[in-house]
Amino acid sequence: TDTPSCVITLHNRFYNFHHQDEEYNENYIIEKYGFFKNSRWIQNQWHNTRDIETVLEGNKTEVTKHCQNHHKMLCNQFVLTPGVGGPMDIAKLLIGQLSLRPISFSRALYKRDVLDNWIRDNADDEWNIVMLDFIDLVPALLSFLISLNFPKSIKIVNATVQDPSS
């Protein structure tokens, strides 16, 4: 029978603790709940930067490096991380030229001809999971990413046409 399959993964921090005299290790959680460590199923790299080029090139490196590993899903994070890099950033924050609000970084990444063009230029790579912040800002990009799940061309081997009035 065809039954739907689902794998639920947990971050490694949810393992190896005690609660009510029970040790919650990897084997216990798999047996009792059917949940697996995410590191077993997913390759995931957090780039921890607010620099757009670093995020783009880091994801390109990840997809090139891990695309042939068919034992794990590859999660590419296009997420910019707020942070203060030094005295110059503090000065910019004080005069309002820099914001630590995550949405301001996403807006810079989602500007016309930045992320959407980059993903289109790299659409032939083997993307599995794409992680974005504030997805409501980029509905066309989401539609494009979803369309990558479908073949670029279809060869029709045999077709019939029926007149709906008959």
Side-chain angles (χ1 to χ4, degrees):
T1 63
D2 290 332
T3 57
S5 298
C6 177
V7 174
I8 297 175
T9 63
L10 298 174
H11 190 275
N12 293 341
R13 71 176 175 258
F14 291 106
Y15 290 91
N16 300 322
F17 66 91
H18 292 322
H19 179 67
Q20 296 179 350
D21 297 328
E22 194 68 57
E23 181 182 355
Y24 285 73
N25 59 32
E26 183 176 5
N27 291 333
Y28 178 80
I29 292 174
I30 289 171
E31 183 179 315
K32 181 150 176 115
Y33 302 103
F35 298 168
F36 297 89
K37 275 188 175 181
N38 64 357
S39 59
R40 177 185 276 189
W41 297 92
I42 298 173
Q43 172 66 37
N44 186 14
Q45 177 64 42
W46 176 42
H47 301 286
N48 193 18
T49 183
R50 61 181 176 184
D51 180 65
I52 291 172
E53 284 303 313
T54 301
V55 165
L56 297 177
E57 291 311 312
N59 278 294
K60 179 66 174 174
T61 300
E62 285 295 300
V63 78
T64 302
K65 181 178 174 183
H66 298 289
C67 70
Q68 296 303 315
N69 182 358
H70 298 284
H71 300 290
K72 287 186 176 184
M73 296 290 287
L74 176 61
C75 178
N76 290 92
Q77 294 190 29
F78 292 90
V79 177
L80 297 168
T81 308
V84 178
M88 191 61 165
D89 285 344
I90 293 170
K92 288 180 180 178
L93 284 166
L94 290 174
I95 61 173
Q97 288 185 338
L98 181 63
S99 172
L100 292 179
R101 294 180 355 185
I103 196 166
S104 64
F105 294 105
S106 294
R107 283 192 176 122
L109 181 62
Y110 299 157
K111 279 185 183 172
R112 185 172 183 83
D113 301 330
V114 179
L115 182 60
D116 54 350
N117 281 1
W118 189 88
I119 288 182
R120 284 184 186 100
D121 291 345
N122 294 282
D124 288 333
D125 291 332
E126 296 185 30
W127 304 101
N128 293 144
I129 303 169
V130 174
M131 187 181 298
L132 302 166
D133 270 345
F134 306 101
I135 59 171
D136 55 315
L137 298 176
V138 285
L141 179 59
L142 292 181
S143 295
F144 177 75
L145 288 170
I146 292 168
S147 74
L148 292 177
N149 289 300
F150 302 98
K152 293 177 182 118
S153 62
I154 298 174
K155 180 180 178 183
I156 299 174
V157 177
N158 190 3
T160 61
V161 178
Q162 183 177 2
D163 183 2
S165 63
S166 59

